[in-house]
Amino acid sequence: MKMLNPQRRIRLERRIVGGTNRWRFPQEHFCGDLLALSQMCNVLNIDLDDALKNPDRLLISKFQKLLSENIANSGTQSGEADVILECLGFKWELHHPQIFQSETLAKLYLTALMQNIKTPSRELNRILKAQAPKKIKEKSPVKKIIITLKVNDPAVTRVAFALALKNLYMDEVEMNVDNVLGVLASAHILQFNRLFQKCVNMMLSRLTPCTVKNFYLAGCKYMEEQLIVSCEKWLAMNLVPLVGTQIHLRHIPQHLLHKVLKSPSFPKKCCFLEQDTGQSWTPLFLCLRLHGITSGKDLEELRHINFFPESWLVRVTANHYHALENGGNMIHLKDLSTQALRFGLLFRQEYTTYSERISIYGYFFEIKGIRHDATSYSFSMQRIRHTDLECPSPICEHSAISLRTERLVKYEIRAQTMVGGRWQEFRTNQITQKFGFVKPGCKSHTLKIQTVGIPIYASFAFVFPAS
């Protein structure tokens, strides 16, 4: 019988590790020996999980440890460069200790080293001997290796890249807001973690209306969560007070703006005014007339923002509920000057008549302004029936409706305009009046004014006393 000659398979060389029967294949990164890998990671101070995910990191760290044990930065480094880096149209001369601070340069160097020599371990010994203190003044026998790095990130400029390489040699290198993005991009390309975190820390402390957009986009580009979250929180704090003056909506990425507007501005566990940074603002916000917010939807939005203490909003809601139960009586409001609910009109040049309709505790009013001639105006308010409203009406939707024929109201009407750089102010006295549905009892006193100023800002302040 004729025997078939099977194809000979290439057999990997195996060798025993230590005093056990564990076998390893020297051609592989880990050689299939997890125990030996764990021991090696302990020696090199590398996390085992990281080594499994990134085998090159283990090789780089091994070389770096060997170099660091033989080279001291203070006075033992040869003045002659060991490696030439070609990048961005320049040639940069670098030394072994600095190369291994950058994972990217270390990989390029080791790859070039493996390609140029047959016995990497012998070449490594030559490198170490060349860098030893007794050999400092002698010419290094190691041939300079040329490595090439291609950069596709437009944020990496020659100046920024030079600063990044300078950080390989110095702990303190001056950076500013103008070049920090380029240095960050360079640190990312070089995988120079110490410098990358240094740039992030600088950006966290330099958030302004001018930088928040670019810093946020950089955080998204390099997946730096700490920077992304900080930009979102900064914008949440500053969007309202600075919008239109220092922050312009067209300069904010749409997805960032959407995320800030949709999410709460402050942590759920504690509102802003109850935090240490917000307590100094409490007296100022105590002056706000939160009771003027009568929409349940608006109050719920305030809870979502988490700016005011929950007890404040509960008190406002409770007072609204009590007023509804008592026919609109606002027994918690005593002073018209400081506690009244206020509504306003902006009477412009093109108007001859302008009015708006308002609703409060089931009562509906129309506030109106009329121009009689070029300089004569009048402003008044009038109670109307809910049936007089156009259906569906925004002010009537989900609104209570009071069937009481009369409502006692204490009110004041004001108007002001600027003439020749000075404000002109007009006002009625504080008037208490019963409003019904039949004339003349349905209409307030009229504020008549004479002015050449335009536009005119008219305000209507009122409370519902107990009746």
Side-chain angles (χ1 to χ4, degrees):
M1 185 174 74
K2 187 177 182 179
M3 295 183 62
L4 296 175
N5 293 326
Q7 292 182 352
R8 296 184 59 185
R9 296 183 179 178
I10 298 176
R11 300 182 62 185
L12 295 175
E13 179 186 356
R14 299 187 298 174
R15 58 190 175 89
I16 297 177
V17 179
T20 69
N21 292 326
R22 303 193 313 276
W23 294 89
R24 64 189 299 177
F25 299 101
Q27 289 87 347
E28 299 179 1
H29 281 296
F30 303 142
C31 308
D33 186 0
L34 293 180
L35 180 57
L37 175 63
S38 176
Q39 294 171 349
M40 185 183 298
C41 288
N42 288 334
V43 172
L44 297 176
N45 195 26
I46 301 174
D47 185 81
L48 177 61
D49 292 336
D50 291 342
L52 289 171
K53 295 176 182 177
N54 188 359
D56 291 335
R57 178 72 180 275
L58 181 67
L59 186 61
I60 292 171
S61 299
K62 187 175 180 180
F63 273 66
Q64 190 173 15
K65 180 174 177 63
L66 291 173
L67 285 170
S68 62
E69 289 175 350
N70 290 271
I71 303 171
N73 287 331
S74 57
T76 64
Q77 178 173 289
S78 172
E80 188 173 355
D82 306 300
V83 179
I84 296 177
L85 169 64
E86 295 181 345
C87 183
L88 298 174
F90 279 82
K91 292 183 178 181
W92 317 81
E93 295 187 344
L94 303 173
H95 300 80
H96 286 131
Q98 284 68 40
I99 288 175
F100 284 91
Q101 295 182 54
S102 161
E103 290 190 25
T104 299
L105 297 182
K107 290 178 183 177
L108 291 174
Y109 173 72
L110 292 177
T111 300
L113 191 65
M114 299 302 180
Q115 292 175 347
N116 293 341
I117 58 179
K118 296 182 179 179
T119 54
S121 59
R122 292 182 182 178
E123 185 67 15
L124 179 59
N125 289 332
R126 293 181 64 193
I127 293 172
L128 297 178
K129 290 179 181 179
Q131 295 290 342
K134 63 182 179 180
K135 297 287 184 179
I136 294 176
K137 296 183 180 180
E138 299 179 9
K139 185 177 180 179
S140 173
V142 182
K143 182 180 179 181
K144 291 181 182 179
I145 291 181
I146 299 176
I147 59 177
T148 302
L149 176 61
K150 294 183 179 180
V151 177
N152 296 321
D153 192 337
V156 179
T157 64
R158 290 177 176 177
V159 173
F161 192 76
L163 283 174
L165 294 180
K166 190 175 181 180
N167 270 272
L168 293 172
Y169 289 83
M170 302 173 62
D171 291 333
E172 297 296 331
V173 177
E174 291 186 6
M175 290 189 298
N176 54 49
V177 175
D178 295 332
N179 58 37
V180 68
L181 286 171
V183 178
L184 179 79
S186 302
H188 178 77
I189 292 292
L190 293 171
Q191 289 297 289
F192 186 7
N193 296 331
R194 176 174 62 82
L195 176 59
F196 187 87
Q197 190 57 49
K198 180 180 178 181
C199 293
V200 170
N201 293 338
M202 179 180 181
M203 294 162 76
L204 293 175
S205 63
R206 303 292 179 87
L207 285 172
T208 66
C210 297
T211 63
V212 64
K213 174 189 174 180
N214 291 332
F215 286 4
Y216 173 78
L217 293 177
C220 295
K221 180 178 180 179
Y222 304 117
M223 294 180 290
E224 182 58 35
E225 188 66 21
Q226 182 185 13
L227 184 58
I228 294 173
V229 172
S230 295
C231 289
E232 290 173 354
K233 289 186 175 180
W234 185 92
L235 188 61
M237 289 287 295
N238 293 276
L239 179 61
V240 173
L242 299 182
V243 70
T245 56
Q246 299 182 48
I247 297 178
H248 301 281
L249 297 182
R250 66 179 179 272
H251 295 156
I252 302 175
Q254 185 175 350
H255 59 282
L256 172 59
L257 184 61
H258 181 266
K259 192 171 184 179
V260 169
L261 295 177
K262 188 176 180 181
S263 64
S265 302
F266 306 100
K268 290 288 187 182
K269 61 181 179 180
C270 182
C271 75
F272 174 75
L273 291 181
E274 290 179 338
Q275 298 178 23
D276 293 339
T277 55
Q279 289 182 359
S280 61
W281 296 91
T282 299
L284 177 64
F285 285 95
L286 279 172
C287 298
L288 288 179
R289 304 184 188 186
L290 293 179
H291 56 269
I293 303 174
T294 59
S295 167
K297 182 179 179 181
D298 293 340
L299 288 172
E300 187 60 34
E301 185 65 25
L302 287 182
R303 288 189 179 89
H304 182 67
I305 292 174
N306 201 28
F307 185 91
F308 297 99
E310 181 70 17
S311 59
W312 292 21
L313 302 180
V314 169
R315 184 167 62 249
V316 171
T317 304
N319 288 337
H320 289 331
Y321 183 78
H322 189 274
L324 282 170
E325 278 197 324
N326 290 270
N329 294 340
M330 305 176 186
I331 59 174
H332 56 285
L333 304 181
K334 305 296 183 182
D335 185 9
L336 181 68
S337 300
T338 59
Q339 296 180 311
L341 277 67
R342 294 174 294 183
F343 297 87
L345 291 177
L346 179 59
F347 201 93
R348 303 181 183 276
Q349 174 70 41
E350 62 270 21
Y351 297 155
T352 54
T353 300
Y354 182 72
S355 65
E356 290 187 6
R357 292 174 175 181
I358 59 176
S359 170
I360 181 72
Y361 299 146
Y363 299 93
F364 301 91
F365 293 86
E366 182 179 47
I367 54 179
K368 180 183 290 187
I370 301 174
R371 177 163 59 184
H372 303 283
D373 55 44
T375 60
S376 178
Y377 304 84
S378 64
F379 298 91
S380 62
M381 57 187 272
Q382 176 178 327
R383 186 181 174 189
I384 58 177
R385 300 178 186 271
H386 69 278
T387 54
D388 296 334
L389 300 173
E390 296 178 0
C391 292
S393 172
I395 68 169
C396 193
E397 186 178 9
H398 307 301
S399 176
I401 297 174
S402 177
L403 300 178
R404 295 182 60 170
T405 57
E406 292 186 333
R407 173 68 260 172
L408 188 64
V409 181
K410 186 175 184 180
Y411 65 93
E412 180 182 46
I413 304 175
R414 295 187 178 191
Q416 54 186 336
T417 185
M418 182 171 286
V419 178
R422 294 185 178 183
W423 286 99
Q424 288 184 342
E425 296 187 6
F426 311 90
R427 59 190 297 182
T428 65
N429 296 324
Q430 293 186 7
I431 303 167
T432 301
Q433 175 185 336
K434 280 188 178 181
F435 281 79
F437 292 119
V438 182
K439 294 182 179 181
C442 64
K443 189 175 180 181
S444 71
H445 287 223
T446 300
L447 174 63
K448 297 179 180 180
I449 65 173
Q450 294 284 333
T451 183
V452 295
I454 204 76
I456 301 172
Y457 303 86
S459 63
F460 299 78
F462 57 87
V463 298
F464 293 167
S467 61

